[in-house]
Amino acid sequence: MLIKQGINSGFGAIYMLASSPVLRRQQFLIRSLGDYSDQNTNTHQKRMQGIKFTSGASLEADAENVLRAITPTLDPNRHKGQAGKIAVIGGCREYTGAPYFAAISALKIGADLSHVFCTKDAASVIKSYSPELIVHPVLEESYGVRDDEKRVISGKILAEVAKWMERFDCLVIGPGLGRDPFLLDCVSKIIKLARQSNVPIVIDGDGLFLVTNSLDLVSGYPLAVLTPNVNEYKRLVQKVLSCEVNDEEAHEQLLSLAKRIGGVTILRKGKSDFISDGETVKSVSIYGSPRRCGGQGDILSGSVAVFLSWARHAIRDGDSSISSKNPATLGCIAGSALMRKAASLAFENKKRSTLTTDIIEYLGRSLEDICPVC
Amino acid sequence: MLIKQGINSGFGAIYMLASSPVLRRQQFLIRSLGDYSDQNTNTHQKRMQGIKFTSGASLEADAENVLRAITPTLDPNRHKGQAGKIAVIGGCREYTGAPYFAAISALKIGADLSHVFCTKDAASVIKSYSPELIVHPVLEESYGVRDDEKRVISGKILAEVAKWMERFDCLVIGPGLGRDPFLLDCVSKIIKLARQSNVPIVIDGDGLFLVTNSLDLVSGYPLAVLTPNVNEYKRLVQKVLSCEVNDEEAHEQLLSLAKRIGGVTILRKGKSDFISDGETVKSVSIYGSPRRCGGQGDILSGSVAVFLSWARHAIRDGDSSISSKNPATLGCIAGSALMRKAASLAFENKKRSTLTTDIIEYLGRSLEDICPVC
């Protein structure tokens, strides 16, 4: 049956990839299995055993257990904000849906507060979608700023964002950002500010256009996550590795790419999602939905932001099952799995009519199915 | 029973029309049956056999089979955009509902992306109806433009639309466009641009006012579809054929009209919808709804745009059952049938309260009933 395939479906793609040269694959798997093997299988012998049984399926993340490990219990003693404060940087004259989808998804998963920093034009529209969001009309596009004002206005924008920065557990940068040069210049400064404050950043959409052209913005920052789709990944590979996407050696290439950008985490979206931080590669292949309506990437970026925050808290709280893991990778695995499960449920109900709004409505139930509150 | 009549209902109207002079009808049917007969019945004898048994019902399109032939399978390997990217040109200070209805209908049927190009006044309202749409506030009306600015602003508007044009599978031109002279002048240029780019266009509402007065805009463009209602059809007949609408010879007149405009496809809306590209005439008579609330024509225009795009893809992919057909005609048949089925289901549920929004909510189920996803 097409819809309700289990969590271990979708290995066909991995088996196909396993046809690349044996030696190179072994070397690759030795690297990639290191961190995520269930026991401390650090000897060469054990690693090789791992390769034997895992040549097809080893990369598939145990996403449900990751979700259970990082999702916080709901404790009546907690107060507002402790389950996560997310901010989306995006929304301009042209685009208002994308930042809304990212921000509302964060709330629907369980974050306590979700902010949007956007242009004035976008703000009232985004506010009208939902009273649940806190929307800051602070960004500016070139058409509204004279050349001689730019320095002052850029400074004001940065000051507006800066006074909030340390309150946020994660920023999502890019949904509906547009490509206006002045706006992107301000966003570059916001990214630098987030790094100084050690706030994690998830970069999608036009944010990827920005960082692909200015890799220094994220290079070497382990709390940065990039979530490219097919075309965005292609541009990233061309820019960073100076070659074309090689699907025969997809995992090796993803690993190299993440390593070359200094250990950022990359979530390569596709039929299966592949996730690498330059040290390991994991896949999430739970069956989602064959609908490709615009906006699904925005749900994912908002979801990854929440789960990344939760993973950091769980690791800080000493959860031994994930203490050695990279919270960015865990956030990607959880976000990808939840998004796919919600998309599958929405599609089961709405079929071809499934829109992004329908998928968002299933985020809560999907998480509850995997990780009930009591 | 009134509501759930089958797809072959509604032939009464055609029988009535069959009372017009026998000879003229025979000549007409010989022409119109040519392309859509199920086998290659190109001999005179076979055509005449066709006339004998089809004098009442032959024009009725096999709409369900058309829908099944052109609706693409949902394949997890596809990526965003491959199921269709539609743009609606419409929406001004006065009208915002019409372009929304057309654009959201396209998404609910299964298109991946739906854009609206409208005036600044309309944009924030249309955006607020749904975060699923991408709304470009680029059009201008005369009241906002000084005479000496018109040339420059017109150029800017065209450039804004041009940078997107080649990404679109079909444009819908007219829903909520209004009749401002400067705006219509810009839309004339957009139509020319679409023709240069070989992008299909569906023209409705005030777009029909525009092209009825400037027939050159669409004349001889086989990828143009006009969807006139009673009054719009009357004006078109008066302008093109210099006579009044003749319901005694309705099909012949429709055929002549489409031929005279150089083979555009005309969907004449009415109790039954009649569709002609100047070569054939087909009807769609599935029972819809007796409610005539405003906005149903907008659903139809958005639907035809999606199905026309899908029909072109199916023909390009070599679907032998439709390879010799006109994708514009197929799109009209499918759009008309789906709209009527959705209206029927909505009316069954909401009766006199049925509004356009209710009908849109049944588009998905209606398509699923005819053409299930798996």
Side-chain angles (χ1 to χ4, degrees), chain A residues 212-228:
Chain A
T212 301
N213 293 326
S214 307
L215 285 162
D216 282 352
L217 289 172
V218 291
S219 188
Y221 187 44
L223 292 175
V225 173
L226 315 185
T227 56

mmCIF file of all heavy atoms in Angstrom, chain A residues 212-228:
data_model
loop_
_atom_site.group_PDB
_atom_site.id
_atom_site.type_symbol
_atom_site.label_atom_id
_atom_site.label_comp_id
_atom_site.label_asym_id
_atom_site.label_seq_id
_atom_site.Cartn_x
_atom_site.Cartn_y
_atom_site.Cartn_z
ATOM 1 N N THR A 212 24.923 30.846 0.109
ATOM 2 C CA THR A 212 25.683 30.196 -0.967
ATOM 3 C C THR A 212 26.643 31.213 -1.593
ATOM 4 O O THR A 212 27.754 30.867 -2.012
ATOM 5 C CB THR A 212 24.725 29.618 -2.031
ATOM 6 O OG1 THR A 212 23.861 28.678 -1.393
ATOM 7 C CG2 THR A 212 25.480 28.907 -3.143
ATOM 8 N N ASN A 213 26.223 32.462 -1.630
ATOM 9 C CA ASN A 213 27.085 33.515 -2.171
ATOM 10 C C ASN A 213 28.011 34.130 -1.124
ATOM 11 O O ASN A 213 28.897 34.902 -1.461
ATOM 12 C CB ASN A 213 26.219 34.623 -2.800
ATOM 13 C CG ASN A 213 25.499 34.116 -4.032
ATOM 14 O OD1 ASN A 213 26.015 33.283 -4.765
ATOM 15 N ND2 ASN A 213 24.287 34.603 -4.259
ATOM 16 N N SER A 214 27.784 33.813 0.130
ATOM 17 C CA SER A 214 28.621 34.365 1.218
ATOM 18 C C SER A 214 28.807 33.271 2.262
ATOM 19 O O SER A 214 28.253 33.334 3.364
ATOM 20 C CB SER A 214 27.928 35.568 1.880
ATOM 21 O OG SER A 214 27.558 36.535 0.925
ATOM 22 N N LEU A 215 29.598 32.270 1.877
ATOM 23 C CA LEU A 215 29.711 31.087 2.739
ATOM 24 C C LEU A 215 30.292 31.389 4.114
ATOM 25 O O LEU A 215 30.011 30.676 5.090
ATOM 26 C CB LEU A 215 30.548 30.015 2.031
ATOM 27 C CG LEU A 215 29.802 29.293 0.910
ATOM 28 C CD1 LEU A 215 30.764 28.585 -0.010
ATOM 29 C CD2 LEU A 215 28.787 28.306 1.491
ATOM 30 N N ASP A 216 31.091 32.457 4.193
ATOM 31 C CA ASP A 216 31.690 32.818 5.484
ATOM 32 C C ASP A 216 30.643 33.038 6.566
ATOM 33 O O ASP A 216 30.930 32.880 7.755
ATOM 34 C CB ASP A 216 32.509 34.116 5.342
ATOM 35 C CG ASP A 216 33.850 33.831 4.679
ATOM 36 O OD1 ASP A 216 34.167 32.637 4.492
ATOM 37 O OD2 ASP A 216 34.551 34.797 4.338
ATOM 38 N N LEU A 217 29.438 33.408 6.144
ATOM 39 C CA LEU A 217 28.383 33.683 7.124
ATOM 40 C C LEU A 217 28.109 32.469 8.011
ATOM 41 O O LEU A 217 27.769 32.620 9.185
ATOM 42 C CB LEU A 217 27.086 34.111 6.418
ATOM 43 C CG LEU A 217 27.081 35.496 5.773
ATOM 44 C CD1 LEU A 217 25.821 35.694 4.948
ATOM 45 C CD2 LEU A 217 27.180 36.583 6.854
ATOM 46 N N VAL A 218 28.215 31.275 7.441
ATOM 47 C CA VAL A 218 27.896 30.071 8.231
ATOM 48 C C VAL A 218 29.089 29.146 8.433
ATOM 49 O O VAL A 218 29.055 28.275 9.311
ATOM 50 C CB VAL A 218 26.749 29.259 7.577
ATOM 51 C CG1 VAL A 218 25.439 30.009 7.677
ATOM 52 C CG2 VAL A 218 27.070 28.899 6.132
ATOM 53 N N SER A 219 30.120 29.347 7.633
ATOM 54 C CA SER A 219 31.246 28.412 7.656
ATOM 55 C C SER A 219 31.833 28.279 9.061
ATOM 56 O O SER A 219 32.135 29.278 9.720
ATOM 57 C CB SER A 219 32.310 28.891 6.671
ATOM 58 O OG SER A 219 33.307 27.909 6.555
ATOM 59 N N GLY A 220 31.962 27.026 9.495
ATOM 60 C CA GLY A 220 32.560 26.767 10.800
ATOM 61 C C GLY A 220 31.624 26.968 11.978
ATOM 62 O O GLY A 220 32.043 26.899 13.129
ATOM 63 N N TYR A 221 30.337 27.197 11.699
ATOM 64 C CA TYR A 221 29.380 27.395 12.800
ATOM 65 C C TYR A 221 28.566 26.109 12.986
ATOM 66 O O TYR A 221 27.671 25.812 12.192
ATOM 67 C CB TYR A 221 28.456 28.569 12.470
ATOM 68 C CG TYR A 221 27.534 28.980 13.613
ATOM 69 C CD1 TYR A 221 28.001 29.096 14.917
ATOM 70 C CD2 TYR A 221 26.191 29.267 13.374
ATOM 71 C CE1 TYR A 221 27.159 29.479 15.947
ATOM 72 C CE2 TYR A 221 25.340 29.653 14.407
ATOM 73 C CZ TYR A 221 25.833 29.758 15.687
ATOM 74 O OH TYR A 221 24.999 30.136 16.714
ATOM 75 N N PRO A 222 28.848 25.329 14.023
ATOM 76 C CA PRO A 222 28.193 24.013 14.148
ATOM 77 C C PRO A 222 26.702 24.101 14.453
ATOM 78 O O PRO A 222 25.999 23.107 14.340
ATOM 79 C CB PRO A 222 28.947 23.350 15.306
ATOM 80 C CG PRO A 222 29.542 24.484 16.088
ATOM 81 C CD PRO A 222 29.820 25.568 15.103
ATOM 82 N N LEU A 223 26.228 25.277 14.830
ATOM 83 C CA LEU A 223 24.793 25.424 15.118
ATOM 84 C C LEU A 223 24.020 25.939 13.900
ATOM 85 O O LEU A 223 22.885 26.384 14.035
ATOM 86 C CB LEU A 223 24.581 26.347 16.315
ATOM 87 C CG LEU A 223 25.068 25.784 17.662
ATOM 88 C CD1 LEU A 223 24.923 26.829 18.762
ATOM 89 C CD2 LEU A 223 24.295 24.515 18.026
ATOM 90 N N ALA A 224 24.648 25.883 12.722
ATOM 91 C CA ALA A 224 23.943 26.272 11.494
ATOM 92 C C ALA A 224 23.443 25.030 10.772
ATOM 93 O O ALA A 224 24.162 24.042 10.646
ATOM 94 C CB ALA A 224 24.861 27.058 10.578
ATOM 95 N N VAL A 225 22.193 25.101 10.333
ATOM 96 C CA VAL A 225 21.593 24.028 9.530
ATOM 97 C C VAL A 225 21.170 24.624 8.185
ATOM 98 O O VAL A 225 20.512 25.668 8.152
ATOM 99 C CB VAL A 225 20.341 23.445 10.230
ATOM 100 C CG1 VAL A 225 19.618 22.460 9.316
ATOM 101 C CG2 VAL A 225 20.714 22.778 11.543
ATOM 102 N N LEU A 226 21.554 23.975 7.104
ATOM 103 C CA LEU A 226 21.092 24.379 5.771
ATOM 104 C C LEU A 226 20.110 23.310 5.272
ATOM 105 O O LEU A 226 20.374 22.116 5.421
ATOM 106 C CB LEU A 226 22.260 24.493 4.783
ATOM 107 C CG LEU A 226 23.538 25.204 5.255
ATOM 108 C CD1 LEU A 226 24.543 25.315 4.085
ATOM 109 C CD2 LEU A 226 23.234 26.589 5.798
ATOM 110 N N THR A 227 18.995 23.730 4.691
ATOM 111 C CA THR A 227 17.965 22.764 4.255
ATOM 112 C C THR A 227 17.657 22.932 2.758
ATOM 113 O O THR A 227 16.558 23.314 2.388
ATOM 114 C CB THR A 227 16.677 22.952 5.078
ATOM 115 O OG1 THR A 227 16.249 24.318 4.956
ATOM 116 C CG2 THR A 227 16.867 22.636 6.534
ATOM 117 N N PRO A 228 18.635 22.613 1.899
ATOM 118 C CA PRO A 228 18.433 22.850 0.458
ATOM 119 C C PRO A 228 17.509 21.836 -0.220
ATOM 120 O O PRO A 228 17.528 20.647 0.119
ATOM 121 C CB PRO A 228 19.851 22.726 -0.109
ATOM 122 C CG PRO A 228 20.552 21.797 0.842
ATOM 123 C CD PRO A 228 19.973 22.086 2.204
#
